[in-house]
Amino acid sequence: MDAYSVGELNRIIKQTVEGEFLLKNCIVEGVISNVKRHSTGHYYFSLIDDTGSIDMAMWRSKVQQRGLEGALENGLLVQVRGNISFYEKTGRLSFICEDIRIGAKSDYQIAYEKLKQELYALGYFDERHKQALPPVPSCIGVVTSASGAVIHDILHVASHRNPLVTFKVFNVPVQGPTAGPVIARGVAMADADPDVDLIIVGRGGGSMEDLWCFNDRALIESIFKCTTPVVSAVGHEVDYTLCDFVADVRGATPSHAAELSIYPLVDLQEEVQQKLEFIHNTVQYRIQKEKQQLFSITNRKITVPAMNLVHQQKNILQRFEHQLHSAIQKKSQDESRKLAILTTQLDNKNPLAKVIKGFAKVDLNGAPLQTIETVKIGDTLDIHIQDGSVKATVQEVTQRG
Amino acid sequence: MAKSIKNYEKKYTALEEVVKKLDDESLSMHELLKTYKEGLTLVKECSDLLQLVEEEVEQIIETVQVDTN
């Protein structure tokens, strides 16, 4: 017998399943779980009961047509009408909903809402009880299953954001009817630990039943009593448990909870750097301002007056110098004038002044020459005439007559 | 230090005396020339001392400016 190809097998299954009369337009009853609204507007969820579970999809057009937008919630007991569809490419079978009738609430839903209302009335969820998360926690206590994905997700985020943060894991079961009180004790232990300055409590995604222990009253009370800030990290974004409401901060997922808890070291360093620069600039600016002020005061109060004094002194010295010059000039002019007067007076008494033009007074050896008897050839004579004197050598001596 | 600014007042007073002496009409030419030379020397010395003060002040200003920058 020839082997089918996978495609052939899937086509046969599809024809068989979708051709089956019993599965056409059938009605099935169960509780909605794991409901997800895709960004396209289609809804995907599981319908479960004690005996089993089946994947379901309801297209956006049907959701709108039936007015079910926002009405599909985990824990709702419903009757679904639709058809079985087999998707050949993945070999997956799902139930395509035509209509959903929301029936009575499931036991879980009823219990959840009752406890929520009671705790709300007691003030467990009040904003005034919320504590601020430490800006930079040094040790985070993680209350979860040591073998679960949560701790890995958190450590992964931490290694990127701040590898200096340390962790203490409080290992607890995170599923099952007895898990709630154990998680409550884990939270209390984490709160009592002096090293722990922030607590993350949570688990990965799952059905409402899986997450049920996070609605346990003992756990809610334990978280409420914590003096250490608590971040809840239960399931996926669409999942809400009472743990989310009582915690100081809700993380949509464990990774998100870690991001909310751990401030990135790079940002922190940058902030510290910026603050340092700000301080440095402020101080520098202040010092510059003071220096300029000091310089300006020094100039105005000291330098300029000092220089003025020096310049005043210089002016006085210049005046003195001028006085000295003019004194000596005046004196020398006075003397010159006196000398000139004396010269005139002398000139007036000069015998030569009486010498008539064309006549001369002749001296020999400083005495007036009065007779040729005293003169010899070669003697030097001084001949004074009205406007000067002449030196002459005797060449010839002749007696008159 | 002979060029010390401490000597300025002494020299300045001497210069004042010299200048006052110039008013004395009975001063002989010889005495006047001596006084004149003496006066000019004192003027030069006083000016040099003032120059020193000025330079020192400028140096101080520069130092202060360097500090404030």
Side-chain angles (χ1 to χ4, degrees):
Chain A
M1 190 176 155
D2 284 347
Y4 291 125
S5 71
V6 175
E8 283 166 346
L9 177 67
N10 280 356
R11 197 168 61 249
I12 294 166
I13 294 174
K14 188 175 171 72
Q15 283 168 357
T16 311
V17 168
E18 293 183 3
E20 173 56 52
F21 176 75
L22 283 176
L23 298 177
K24 278 195 194 295
N25 209 21
C26 64
I27 294 172
V28 57
E29 188 177 272
V31 173
I32 292 179
S33 177
N34 266 333
V35 67
K36 287 187 190 75
R37 185 187 184 278
H38 193 260
S39 57
T40 53
H42 307 317
Y43 274 80
Y44 298 92
F45 56 94
S46 301
L47 197 68
I48 57 169
D49 63 14
D50 298 343
T51 55
S53 165
I54 186 170
D55 290 341
M56 295 206 159
M58 189 168 195
W59 311 131
R60 187 181 63 177
S61 55
K62 290 289 173 198
V63 174
Q64 287 171 349
Q65 192 184 332
R66 309 293 181 198
L68 290 169
E69 187 71 57
L72 301 181
E73 281 179 32
N74 288 333
L76 283 179
L77 184 67
V78 291
Q79 279 192 352
V80 182
R81 183 173 57 78
N83 300 288
I84 284 290
S85 161
F86 184 80
Y87 191 48
E88 284 174 77
K89 273 202 175 151
T90 55
R92 289 186 65 167
L93 189 142
S94 58
F95 192 95
I96 309 300
C97 307
E98 290 293 321
D99 194 6
I100 295 176
R101 269 180 50 210
I102 297 171
K105 285 174 179 169
S106 68
D107 293 345
Y108 279 128
Q109 190 76 14
I110 292 163
Y112 172 83
E113 284 179 3
K114 184 168 171 273
L115 187 57
K116 189 178 171 186
Q117 274 170 13
E118 185 188 337
L119 294 177
Y120 181 83
L122 288 172
Y124 274 50
F125 308 145
D126 277 6
E127 274 304 314
R128 64 191 168 95
H129 294 310
K130 304 292 183 201
Q131 299 186 74
L133 303 188
V136 185
S138 59
C139 178
I140 298 177
V142 185
V143 184
T144 189
S145 163
S147 58
V150 171
I151 189 68
H152 290 288
D153 290 352
I154 292 173
L155 290 178
H156 180 72
V157 170
S159 68
H160 282 95
R161 289 169 85 89
N162 186 351
L164 300 176
V165 174
T166 57
F167 291 91
K168 279 193 180 178
V169 178
F170 296 84
N171 187 19
V172 291
V174 289
Q175 199 165 335
T178 56
V182 185
I183 303 170
R185 278 199 298 279
V187 169
M189 274 172 68
D191 189 38
D193 192 311
D195 292 339
V196 171
D197 47 17
L198 177 69
I199 297 169
I200 298 178
V201 54
R203 57 155 288 155
S207 67
M208 189 171 187
E209 301 73 52
D210 292 340
L211 307 182
W212 188 249
C213 51
F214 287 88
N215 294 319
D216 190 282
R217 188 179 184 123
L219 175 58
I220 307 310
E221 283 177 354
S222 178
I223 292 173
F224 184 69
K225 281 181 199 154
C226 273
T227 52
T228 314
V230 179
V231 178
S232 79
V234 183
H236 297 303
E237 197 163 355
V238 292
D239 300 322
Y240 272 89
T241 63
L242 296 183
C243 181
D244 292 324
F245 295 109
V246 75
D248 295 300
V249 171
R250 174 196 183 237
T253 63
S255 293
H256 183 232
E259 281 164 17
L260 293 172
S261 307
I262 303 162
Y263 196 75
L265 192 59
V266 180
D267 293 359
L268 194 68
Q269 283 166 336
E270 200 173 308
E271 268 173 40
V272 170
Q273 191 60 36
Q274 276 174 359
K275 286 202 164 70
L276 259 174
E277 272 172 32
F278 175 76
I279 291 169
H280 183 75
N281 289 344
T282 311
V283 170
Q284 275 299 314
Y285 173 77
R286 186 66 199 269
I287 290 174
Q288 279 302 324
K289 211 177 126 186
E290 293 294 327
K291 271 185 172 179
Q292 266 165 14
Q293 220 156 21
L294 189 67
F295 179 64
S296 141
I297 287 175
T298 311
N299 238 351
R300 210 167 56 240
K301 300 279 181 193
I302 301 171
T303 312
V304 171
M307 282 308 216
N308 279 347
L309 249 156
V310 170
H311 288 141
Q312 271 171 19
Q313 284 294 310
K314 274 191 157 179
N315 285 340
I316 293 171
L317 287 181
Q318 264 177 6
R319 213 166 61 228
F320 283 168
E321 196 180 359
H322 181 73
Q323 273 175 280
L324 283 166
H325 285 311
S326 48
I328 197 115
Q329 265 171 8
K330 183 173 176 291
K331 183 76 175 174
S332 115
Q333 278 167 4
D334 284 355
E335 293 304 321
S336 294
R337 215 168 6 247
K338 277 190 212 162
L339 207 58
I341 294 166
L342 278 179
T343 311
T344 320
Q345 285 171 350
L346 268 177
D347 278 353
N348 290 345
K349 290 183 178 151
N350 187 351
L352 277 178
K354 291 167 184 162
V355 176
I356 304 157
K357 278 179 188 169
F359 287 81
K361 171 178 171 275
V362 179
D363 286 346
L364 175 63
N365 298 328
L369 181 64
Q370 290 176 0
T371 168
I372 55 167
E373 306 277 320
T374 55
V375 70
K376 305 189 292 290
I377 290 170
D379 277 348
T380 303
L381 297 176
D382 290 312
I383 304 164
H384 301 287
I385 56 176
Q386 194 219 350
D387 59 345
S389 58
V390 175
K391 257 187 200 313
T393 308
V394 175
Q395 289 182 336
E396 197 183 310
V397 179
T398 315
Q399 183 140 33
R400 197 182 306 149
Chain B
M1 189 179 162
K3 276 188 165 179
S4 169
I5 188 66
K6 281 184 199 161
N7 295 327
Y8 183 81
E9 272 69 30
K10 218 167 78 190
K11 286 181 190 298
Y12 181 79
T13 315
L15 181 58
E16 276 183 323
E17 290 299 320
V18 166
V19 173
K20 214 180 284 174
K21 227 170 161 184
L22 294 175
D23 294 337
D24 186 355
E25 298 267 334
S26 66
L27 223 54
S28 74
M29 193 66 190
H30 169 70
E31 280 170 325
L32 180 65
L33 190 62
K34 204 178 128 220
T35 313
Y36 175 71
K37 276 183 181 169
E38 208 181 322
L40 279 191
T41 311
L42 285 169
V43 167
K44 173 93 172 67
E45 284 173 353
C46 284
S47 295
D48 287 351
L49 285 176
L50 283 183
Q51 189 63 35
L52 279 182
V53 171
E54 220 168 8
E55 279 166 16
E56 205 164 322
V57 168
E58 267 158 23
Q59 264 178 13
I60 292 166
I61 294 170
E62 258 173 56
T63 324
V64 174
Q65 267 174 332
V66 166
D67 282 350
T68 51
N69 288 333

